[in-house]
Amino acid sequence: MTVATIRWIGERPGKARILEQTLLPMETRYVDLSSVEEMFDAIKRLAIRGAPAIGVAAAYGVLLGVQGAGSQSAAQVLALTEKSAAFLAGTRPTAVNLFWALERMVARARRELKPNASAEDMIAGLFEEAHGIFEEDRAICRRIGEVGATLIGHGNSILTHCNAGGLATADYGTALAPIYVAVNQGKSVKVFADETRPLLQGARLTTWELMQAGIEVTLITDSMAGRVMFEGRVDSVFVGADRIARNGDVCNKIGTYSVAVLAREHGVPFYVCAPLSTFDPSLDDGTQIPIEERDASEITMGFGMRTAPPGVRVYNPAFDITPARLVTAIVTEVGLIERPEEANVCDALRRGGRKF
Ligand code: MRU
């Protein structure tokens, strides 16, 4: 799977090239972003979205903010890094990869600020850090794919929600990665993609991505997930995550919780695929995860067509929490976390070198 979701173009000054996801599947257009403000706007409007991709975008956004500061002092580059990071932190509140990547960039700038450091040294360090975040995400997604593929049998039918594929990461995806690996291993795999109301990441993005890869995919509306499970047509569920609390509670796109409840009712394993950067060990449980609420017009005027009376009251949370007890296992780059709970979540984080 090689969807070029986000790439750094050129050396310095360079640009961040993103696939403009709001236009998919009708148009495949790449846009070049050359300022931190343009990156802010792209993340906010979901032109680039999905937790790991948001993290990479944020790191490149910081580069856009500092790359022109070579003639300033090293201390000024640090100040500019912190300012750019604080600005980008205001884009979306739920995916913790955003804050994780921004903290990494600021920490790198602080480390580079040695007594004789020049602005050029600082900026070079920040470029290395951002490219490192990008490359690590690619490698981690491959690893998640290898670990997750062991859960997929020949002929399996898998249901997924939202888009947790290459479009949501630097490459390859999280929840879709095991499917790509399983198919590469010669297994036959079919996918049911929930359309994912209200912004249709499943219908617009997941089906597009899987069709590009030649993988059999059937689109259903969110409310049909129960029906296909009742019919015995789903062997397992694979979803991504935006933030996972220390006790294993999973925050993901709105509607994920309903799928998990249905999976439990029908005895279908429910797998969450996520890099360790999606974990937030500072939170005891999912109730502490900030849930983004988005504009009412996404529901009343979806894609420009009015489908509800003007003035109607609307509630539009973009994410929900799936309690850890409904999760069969979390698939990470350091292996499976089976029956997630605080002890084994912390153990996986330690094995991955996360400090908390
Ligand atoms: O609002 P979005 O499209 O950014 O939400 C994306 C999701 O909920 C994904 O499932 C999650 O970020 C995991 S992406 C690998």
Side-chain angles (χ1 to χ4, degrees):
M1 180 64 210
T2 48
V3 175
T5 306
I6 180 164
R7 297 284 182 275
W8 185 262
I9 303 296
E11 297 290 327
R12 228 187 94 203
K15 294 178 177 182
R17 180 166 295 167
I18 63 159
L19 179 54
E20 170 53 91
Q21 296 192 29
T22 62
L23 300 176
L24 286 172
M26 302 311 288
E27 192 182 335
T28 310
R29 189 196 298 171
Y30 291 88
V31 291
D32 288 350
L33 309 176
S34 42
S35 71
V36 63
E37 289 80 13
E38 285 176 9
M39 184 58 87
F40 180 98
D41 178 62
I43 298 173
K44 188 104 187 149
R45 325 186 265 109
L46 276 57
I48 180 146
R49 33 64 55 201
I54 292 172
V56 174
Y60 283 159
V62 171
L63 290 191
L64 294 172
V66 303
Q67 66 174 346
S71 60
Q72 301 188 16
S73 71
Q76 281 170 319
V77 174
L78 172 60
L80 204 50
T81 305
E82 290 170 338
K83 191 175 158 209
S84 302
F87 177 59
L88 290 162
T91 48
R92 300 190 70 191
T94 302
V96 77
N97 304 63
L98 170 72
F99 308 100
W100 170 87
L102 292 174
E103 277 163 26
R104 238 177 101 160
M105 295 299 283
V106 170
R108 178 65 186 251
R110 290 193 182 131
R111 276 206 311 282
E112 293 289 340
L113 190 64
K114 298 174 193 111
N116 293 324
S118 68
E120 289 295 336
D121 295 337
M122 301 273 292
I123 295 171
L126 288 166
F127 266 74
E128 192 177 87
E129 196 69 28
H131 290 319
I133 289 171
F134 172 84
E135 291 299 343
E136 280 168 35
D137 188 57
R138 297 180 82 180
I140 285 168
C141 288
R142 299 272 159 168
R143 183 70 197 129
I144 288 174
E146 284 159 18
V147 175
T150 62
L151 304 166
I152 299 176
H154 182 62
N156 274 186
S157 177
I158 293 170
L159 185 139
T160 190
H161 190 77
C162 194
N163 172 266
L167 288 169
T169 62
D171 194 16
Y172 223 57
T174 57
L176 297 193
I179 296 169
Y180 292 131
V181 172
V183 168
N184 283 342
Q185 290 170 340
K187 295 174 190 166
S188 140
V189 181
K190 295 179 189 168
V191 179
F192 282 105
D194 281 351
E195 73 173 345
T196 317
R197 289 275 297 151
L199 294 181
L200 309 188
Q201 288 93 333
R204 293 187 302 108
L205 307 178
T206 298
T207 59
W208 180 84
E209 183 177 327
L210 290 172
M211 287 169 81
Q212 298 273 315
I215 293 174
E216 185 178 327
V217 55
T218 303
L219 176 63
I220 57 173
T221 67
D222 297 357
S223 51
M224 294 170 190
R227 178 65 192 160
V228 292
M229 286 192 209
F230 186 85
E231 290 172 337
R233 297 170 72 180
V234 177
D235 295 299
S236 55
V237 174
F238 280 73
V239 296
D242 287 83
R243 202 185 284 227
I244 302 174
R246 199 170 65 239
N247 72 338
D249 285 355
V250 172
C251 180
N252 192 47
K253 178 55 56 192
I254 191 74
T256 303
Y257 172 49
S258 317
V259 175
V261 172
L262 286 167
R264 175 57 54 93
E265 168 69 14
H266 292 90
V268 171
F270 182 89
Y271 299 116
V272 175
C273 303
L276 296 184
S277 54
T278 297
F279 287 72
D280 186 348
S282 74
L283 303 183
D284 300 330
D285 61 47
T287 61
Q288 298 169 347
I289 297 174
I291 303 287
E292 176 180 11
E293 278 187 44
R294 295 186 59 89
D295 201 87
S297 62
E298 290 180 352
I299 296 180
T300 59
M301 289 282 293
F303 303 96
M305 181 176 162
R306 177 163 287 288
T307 53
V312 67
R313 186 174 302 142
V314 168
Y315 178 46
N316 185 17
F319 300 94
D320 59 26
I321 309 294
T322 298
R325 67 187 146 75
L326 296 179
V327 178
T328 310
I330 304 176
V331 183
T332 77
E333 67 269 33
V334 295
L336 288 180
I337 306 176
E338 287 177 275
R339 291 179 302 282
E341 56 181 29
E342 180 164 338
N344 51 19
V345 165
C346 290
D347 182 53
L349 291 173
R350 273 187 218 101
R351 274 187 284 129
R354 273 290 294 274
K355 300 203 173 37
F356 56 98

